[in-house]
C-alpha cells in the first residue's frame, strides 16, 4: 500500500457474489485436461482491476483484488515497482521488481519477489497468446507503450512514450488481468514468471508483442477474407457481438483521445498556476505595506498548493480514466482476435470436410480400378480425414463455447472496472475540494488582516 | 470610499454610482448608469456610450485654473471595447485583458463603474462640473467633441524613456518613481499570468464538456450487459459534467474578483507612473530654464528669472499635490486590494464547499448503487 499522503486514500475493493451469472452452471471441457482446471474454470464473479493508489511518486503500485468464489476464497496481490536502469549503453534496460503476495496453494510461497525486465512481460504474453488464443480465450494484451492502431483526433498523444512509473503501473495491471483469469492463473508459464528468480531470456518477443498480435489478427482476418465460402453464421449471437465490439472499439478510442486532451489541459493549468504563484510572490516582495505584502505572499503559497492539487488531479485523470480506456482499447483488440480465430477454426473445419469429400470420391473411383493397396491407402486416408473433420468440429464447438463464456466474463468485468474507477475518481475529486476548502479557510483571515 | 467636499450640493455619493445595464447595437455599447446626489434620496438614471466617458476624462485633464493639476493621479479609464464580430478574442484580450472576458461585458462594466466611483471620491476631481453633467444630464455630454486634453497617453518614444529615467532632486520622489516602476511591471505580469490561468481553466472546462458528451453517446440498449455498461458511462458523464461546471465557476470567480482587482491595480500603477512622468517633465523644463537663465545675457536675465520663478512655482505646486496624491494612493490601493482578495477568497471558498458537497453526493450514490 502506498505510503504517500498526497494521493487519495483508497481501500481494497471487496466484491460479492453475482447470482445472475449466466454461466455459473456451465461446465467446460477443455483440451488441456486437469481436474483442477475444471474447478477454476467454473465461473464465479471475477474481480475488477483497479489501481489502489494513483500517486506515481509512491514507489509501489499496489493493485490488488480480493474475490470470493464459490466456497473458496482466493486472494492475490501483485505490485510492480522500483523501476531501475540496468547496464548501460546499447544494452541498457529497465528492470522492475515484481512482488506477489498470496495465500493460494498453487504458489510455493506466501510472498515472492522477482526482478523482471519489460521484454519478460512481452515474452509471457506471447507464450500465453500462442497457447490460449486459438481456443477462444481472451488473453490480456501485452503491456504496450502506446495504443496500437489508428489514433483518432488531431492531437498526437501526450503520453505515447510512458515514463517508467506509468509503465510499471501498466505491467502491473497486465499481470493482474492475467492472474484473475482462472485458466491463466494455473498456467506454468505464469507461475514461473511470478516465482522463479531466473527467467530464460525471451528471445522472440517480437513475435507476439502487441504489434505481433495485431499482425496475427490481421493474418487471420486476411484468411477470413480470402475464404471463398462465406461462413454460415448459424449463431446470430456471434454476428451481433462482433458488431457490438466494432462499435465499442470506435467509441473507446474516441473517449481515450478525449481524456488525453483533458490530461493535457490539466497539466497546462498546473504550469500556469505555478507561474502565477511566482509572479504573485514577486509582487508581495515588492510591496511596502506589511500586511498586504504578507497577504500577497500567502496568495502565492495558496496558488502553489493549488498547483500541486492540479498535478494530483492530472494523475487521477490519467491513471484512473485514461489508462482504463487505453487498457480496454487494447483488450478489444484481443477480443476481436478471438473472434477471428473462431473464423479460422471454422475455415479449417470446412477445408477438412472438402478434403474428406475428395478422399471419398477418390476411394469410390478406386473401387472399380482393382488396385488393392491404393484402395487401402484411400480407405486409410478417409479415416484420417474423418478424424480431422470430427476434431475440427469439436474445436469449433469448443472455441465457440469458450468465446461465449469469455465475452460474458469480459462484459461483467467491464462494468465492474468502470464502476470502481468512477468511485476512485470521485474520491479524488472530493479530496481535492476538501483540500481547497482548507487552503481558502486559512487564507481568509490573512486577507481580512490587511489593515 | 469617502467623499469630502465643501460643495455638498453638487457632490454625488460615490458609492451609489452603478452601471446597471449594458446593451449592444452593432459596434456600440450603451451603458445605463444610476447615481445619487448626496443631498437627495432619489436616483438618477442616464445612458452613456464610451465616447462620453472619454469626454469626461478629457474634461478632467483639461481643467483650467487648477493649481498643480498635473500632480493628480487620474483614475484610469479602461480602453474602448470593440465588440464587433471581426474582432477576434485574441485582439480583444490584447486590448482589454481581463475586461474582455466574462459574460455580457460584466467585468468591463464593473471597471467603468470603479472609474466613476474613483473620480467621484477624489477630493479635487469630484468638484469638476463635467462629472455632474456626465452623471445627471439626460443629454449625452459627449456629443461635443472637446479639445483633446493636454495629456496624451505616455508614449513609448525613446525620448520619453530618457526623460523617464531623469534623476530626481527629491529623494522621496526618486524612491517613489523606482518603486512605482517596479510595481507597475510586476502587477502587469501578475495580471497577465492570472489571465493565462483563467483561459486554461476555460479550455479545460471545454475538454471536460467534450469528454462528457462522448460518454453520453456510448449508450447502447442491445442486451443486459450493454445496458449496465451504458449506465456506468452515463454516470461518469454526469461526474465529468460536474467537473466542467466546477471549472467554469472557478474561472469566473477568478475573473470577477482577483482578475478585476489586479487589472485595476495594474492600470492604477500606470496612472501613477504617468503623473510622476509629468512631474519629471516639469522638472526637466525647470532645469532647462535654470540653465538658460544662468547663461543669459544681462538684458534678458530679468525676464528669464521671472519666467523661471513661475515655472518653479508650478513645479512646487505639482510636487506638493503629487505628495498628497501618492499618500492617498498608497492607502487606497491597499484597501482596494484587500477587498478584492477577501472577495476572491470568499467566493472560491463557497464554490469549493458547493462542489465538495456535490461530489460527495455523487460518491455516496455510486457506493450505494454499486454495492447492491
Amino acid at each position: 500500500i502506498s505510503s504517500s499522503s498526497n494521493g487519495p486514500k483508497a481501500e481494497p475493493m471487496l466484491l460479492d457474489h453475482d447470482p445472475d451469472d449466466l454461466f455459473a452452471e456451465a461446465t467446460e471441457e477443455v483440451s488441456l485436461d486437469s481436474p483442477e482446471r475444471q474447478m477454476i474454470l467454473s465461473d464465479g464473479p471475477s474481480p475488477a482491476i483497479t489501481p489502489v493508489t494513483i500517486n506515481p511518486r509512491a514507489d509501489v503500485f499496489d493493485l490488488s483484488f480480493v474475490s470470493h468464489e464459490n466456497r473458496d476464497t482466493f486472494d492475490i496481490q501483485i505490485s510492480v515497482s522500483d523501476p531501475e536502469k540496468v547496464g548501460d549503453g546499447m544494452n541498457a534496460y529497465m528492470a522492475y521488481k515484481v512482488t506477489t503476495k498470496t495465500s493460494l496453494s498453487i504458489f510455493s510461497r506466501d510472498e515472492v519477489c522477482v526482478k523482471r525486465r519489460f521484454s519478460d512481460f512481452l515474452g509471457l504474453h506471447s507464450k500465453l497468446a500462442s497457447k490460449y488464443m486459438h481456443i477462444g480465450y481472451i488473453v490480456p494484451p501485452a503491456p504496450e507503450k502506446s495504443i496500437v492502431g489508428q489514433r483518432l483526433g488531431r492531437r498526437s498523444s501526450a503520453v505515447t512514450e510512458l515514463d517508467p512509473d506509468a509503465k510499471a503501473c501498466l505491467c502491473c495491471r497486465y499481470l493482474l488481468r492475467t492472474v484473475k483469469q482462472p485458466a491463466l492463473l494455473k498456467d506454468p508459464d505464469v507461475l514461473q514468471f511470478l516465482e522463479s528468480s531466473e527467467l530464460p531470456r525471451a528471445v522472440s518477443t517480437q513475435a507476439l508483442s502487441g504489434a505481433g498480435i495485431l499482425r496475427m489478427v490481421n493474418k487471420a482476418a486476411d484468411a477470413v477474407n480470402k475464404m471463398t465460402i462465406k461462413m454460415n453464421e448459424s449463431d446470430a449471437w456471434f454476428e451481433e457481438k462482433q458488431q457490438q465490439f466494432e462499435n465499442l472499439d470506435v467509441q473507446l478510442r474516441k473517449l481515450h483521445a478525449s481524456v488525453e486532451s483533458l490530461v493535457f489541459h490539466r497539466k497546462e493549468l498546473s504550469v500556469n498556476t505555478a507561474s502565477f504563484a511566482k509572479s504573485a510572490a514577486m509582487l508581495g516582495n515588492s510591496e511596502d505595506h506589511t500586511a498586504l505584502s504578507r497577504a500577497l505572499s500567502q496568495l502565492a503559497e495558496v496558488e502553489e498548493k493549488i498547483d500541486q492539487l492540479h498535478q494530483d488531479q492530472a494523475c487521477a485523470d490519467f491513471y484512473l480514466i485514461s489508462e482504463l480506456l487505453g487498457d480496454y482499447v487494447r483488450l478489444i483488440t484481443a477480443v476481436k482476435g478471438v473472434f477471428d480465430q473462431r473464423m479460422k477454426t471454422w475455415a479449417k473445419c470446412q477445408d477438412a470436410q472438402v478434403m474428406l469429400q475428395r478422399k471419398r470420391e477418390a476411394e469410390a473411383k478406386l473401387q472399380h480400378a482393382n488396385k488393392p493397396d491404393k484402395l487401402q491407402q484411400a480407405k486409410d486416408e478417409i479415416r484420417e480425414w474423418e478424424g480431422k473433420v470430427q476434431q475440427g468440429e469439436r474445436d469449433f464447438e469448443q472455441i465457440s463455447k469458450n468465446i461465449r463464456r469469455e465475452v460474458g466474463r469480459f462484459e461483467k468485468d467491464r462494468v465492474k472496472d468502470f464502476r470502481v474507477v468512477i468511485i476512485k475518481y470521485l474520491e479524488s475529486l472530493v479530496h481535492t475540494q476538501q483540500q481547497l476548502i482548507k487552503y481558502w479557510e486559512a487564507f481568509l483571515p490573512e486577507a481580512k488582516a490587511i489593515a | 470610499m469617502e467623499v469630502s467636499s465643501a460643495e455638498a450640493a453638487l457632490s454625488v455619493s460615490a458609492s451609489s454610482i452603478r452601471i446597471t445595464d449594458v446593451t449592444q447595437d452593432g459596434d456600440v455599447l450603451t451603458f445605463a448608469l444610476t447615481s445619487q446626489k448626496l443631498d437627495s434620496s432619489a436616483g438618477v438614471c442616464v445612458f452613456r456610450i464610451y465616447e462620453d466617458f472619454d469626454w469626461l476624462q478629457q474634461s478632467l485633464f483639461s481643467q483650467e485654473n487648477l493649481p498643480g493639476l498635473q500632480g493628480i493621479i487620474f483614475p484610469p479609464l479602461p480602453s474602448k471595447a470593440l465588440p464587433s464580430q471581426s474582432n477576434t478574442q485574441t485582439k480583444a484580450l490584447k486590448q482589454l485583458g481581463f475586461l474582455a472576458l466574462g459574460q455580457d461585458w460584466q467585468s468591463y462594466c464593473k471597471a467603468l463603474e470603479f472609474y466613476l466611483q474613483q473620480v467621484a471620491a477624489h477630493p479635487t476631481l469630484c468638484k469638476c462640473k463635467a462629472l455632474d453633467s456626465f452623471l445627471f444630464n439626460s443629454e449625452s455630454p459627449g456629443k461635443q467633441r472637446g479639445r483633446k486634453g493636454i495629456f496624451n497617453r505616455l508614449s513609448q518614444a525613446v525620448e520619453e524613456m530618457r526623460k523617464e529615467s531623469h534623476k530626481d532632486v527629491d529623494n522621496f520622489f526618486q524612491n517613489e518613481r523606482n518603486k512605482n516602476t517596479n510595481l507597475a511591471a510586476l502587477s502587469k505580469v501578475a495580471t497577465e499570468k492570472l489571465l493565462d490561468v483563467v483561459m486554461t481553466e476555460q479550455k479545460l472546462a471545454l475538454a471536460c464538456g467534450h469528454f462528457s458528451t462522448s460518454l453520453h453517446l456510448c449508450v447502447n440498449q442491445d442486451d443486459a450487459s450493454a445496458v449496465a455498461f451504458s449506465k456506468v458511462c452515463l454516470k461518469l458523464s454526469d461526474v465529468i459534467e460536474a467537473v466542467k461546471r466546477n471549472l467554469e465557476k472557478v474561472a469566473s470567480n477568478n475573473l470577477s474578483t482577483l482578475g478585476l482587482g489586479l487589472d485595476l491595480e495594474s492600470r492604477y500603477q500606470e496612472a501613477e507612473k504617468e503623473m510622476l512622468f509629468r512631474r519629471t517633465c516639469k522638472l526637466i523644463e525647470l532645469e532647462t530654464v535654470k540653465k538658460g537663465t544662468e547663461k543669459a545675457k544681462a538684458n534678458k536675465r530679468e525676464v528669464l528669472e521671472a519666467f523661471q520663478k513661475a515655472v518653479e512655482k508650478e513645479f512646487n505646486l505639482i510636487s506638493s499635490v503629487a505628495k498628497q496624491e501618492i499618500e492617498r494612493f498608497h492607502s487606497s490601493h491597499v484597501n482596494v486590494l484587500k477587498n478584492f482578495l477577501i472577495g476572491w477568497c470568499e467566493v472560491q471558498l463557497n464554490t469549493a464547499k458547493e462542489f465538495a458537497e456535490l461530489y460527495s453526493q455523487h460518491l455516496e450514490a455510486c457506493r450505494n448503487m454499486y454495492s447492491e
Side-chain angles (χ1 to χ4, degrees), chain A residues 131-142:
Chain A
K131 275 197 246 182
Y132 295 101
M133 258 190 85
H134 69 274
I135 50 171
Y137 284 85
I138 300 173
V139 172

Side-chain angles (χ1 to χ4, degrees), chain B residues 337-351:
Chain B
L337 275 176
K338 170 184 178 175
N339 289 335
F340 276 118
L341 285 172
I342 293 175
W344 176 62
C345 184
E346 282 175 346
V347 85
Q348 292 290 31
L349 178 57
N350 282 344
T351 299

Side-chain angles (χ1 to χ4, degrees), chain A residues 338-403:
Chain A
V338 254
F339 273 88
D340 285 340
Q341 287 293 318
R342 176 175 172 270
M343 292 252 214
K344 213 168 156 196
T345 308
W346 180 84
K348 208 167 156 199
C349 189
Q350 290 298 103
D351 290 346
Q353 281 183 339
V354 165
M355 194 54 100
L356 176 63
Q357 188 57 32
R358 278 199 205 135
K359 297 295 176 187
R360 284 192 173 139
E361 283 164 6
E363 193 244 7
K365 281 197 193 127
L366 284 172
Q367 285 279 6
H368 305 290
N370 201 19
K371 287 178 187 165
D373 5 296
K374 283 238 167 85
L375 191 61
Q376 186 55 44
Q377 185 187 356
K379 285 198 200 284
D380 288 340
E381 281 178 358
I382 288 179
R383 257 197 301 280
E384 182 195 338
W385 281 97
E386 273 172 353
K388 284 193 180 163
V389 165
Q390 277 171 14
Q391 184 61 47
E393 282 169 352
R394 273 202 298 275
D395 287 346
F396 182 72
E397 245 180 72
Q398 191 58 57
I399 194 176
S400 299
K401 228 191 241 175
N402 286 345
I403 289 180

Side-chain angles (χ1 to χ4, degrees), chain B residues 84-191:
Chain B
S84 68
Q85 302 288 36
S86 63
N87 217 17
T88 61
Q89 198 191 37
T90 8
K91 263 198 241 164
L93 279 174
K94 237 190 173 132
Q95 182 203 29
L96 292 175
F98 266 108
L99 305 183
L101 292 180
Q103 302 252 19
D104 304 324
W105 302 102
Q106 285 306 313
S107 310
Y108 191 70
C109 290
K110 261 284 175 254
L112 288 176
E113 201 178 277
F114 285 139
Y115 163 73
L116 290 174
Q117 287 173 347
Q118 278 142 14
V119 171
H122 192 284
T124 312
L125 297 177
C126 69
K127 299 180 196 166
C128 178
K129 294 256 181 5
L131 179 63
D132 236 46
S133 314
F134 180 89
L135 289 173
F136 300 120
N137 279 9
S138 44
E139 262 301 302
S140 169
K143 295 280 194 294
Q144 9 160 344
R145 272 272 179 269
R147 51 203 156 91
K148 272 287 189 215
I150 46 178
F151 313 131
N152 292 318
R153 212 169 288 272
L154 210 60
S155 87
Q156 295 302 306
V158 176
E159 168 80 8
E160 308 295 336
M161 299 287 247
R162 190 178 59 80
K163 281 190 188 168
E164 210 178 341
S165 53
H166 184 90
K167 197 159 184 298
D168 210 300
V169 293
D170 184 332
N171 262 349
F172 171 79
F173 280 102
Q174 187 63 62
N175 277 343
E176 187 60 25
R177 281 162 62 190
N178 295 343
K179 270 193 242 153
N180 166 256
T181 304
N182 196 21
L183 278 176
L186 289 177
S187 56
K188 185 155 184 276
V189 167
T191 310

Side-chain angles (χ1 to χ4, degrees), chain A residues 241 244 255 258-259 262 268 272 275 279 286-288 299 303 411 414 418-419 422 427 433 440 450, chain B residues 179 182 186 190 193 200 203 211 222-223 225 229 232 246 333 338 341 344-345 348 352 367 370:
Chain A
K241 279 300 164 187
Q244 279 178 22
L255 288 175
S258 219
V259 173
L262 212 149
E268 193 185 352
N272 286 345
S275 185
S279 70
S286 298
E287 176 59 54
D288 271 347
L299 192 164
E303 287 294 317
E411 286 176 339
R414 176 178 60 167
F418 273 68
R419 280 180 177 173
I422 287 179
E427 284 172 353
Q433 292 307 307
W440 292 124
I450 303 171
Chain B
K179 270 193 242 153
N182 196 21
L186 289 177
K193 296 289 177 194
T200 312
K203 271 191 255 173
F211 182 46
D222 288 341
D223 55 40
S225 91
F229 184 59
V232 165
N246 191 354
H333 113 110
K338 170 184 178 175
L341 285 172
W344 176 62
C345 184
Q348 292 290 31
R367 281 187 176 148
Y370 298 157

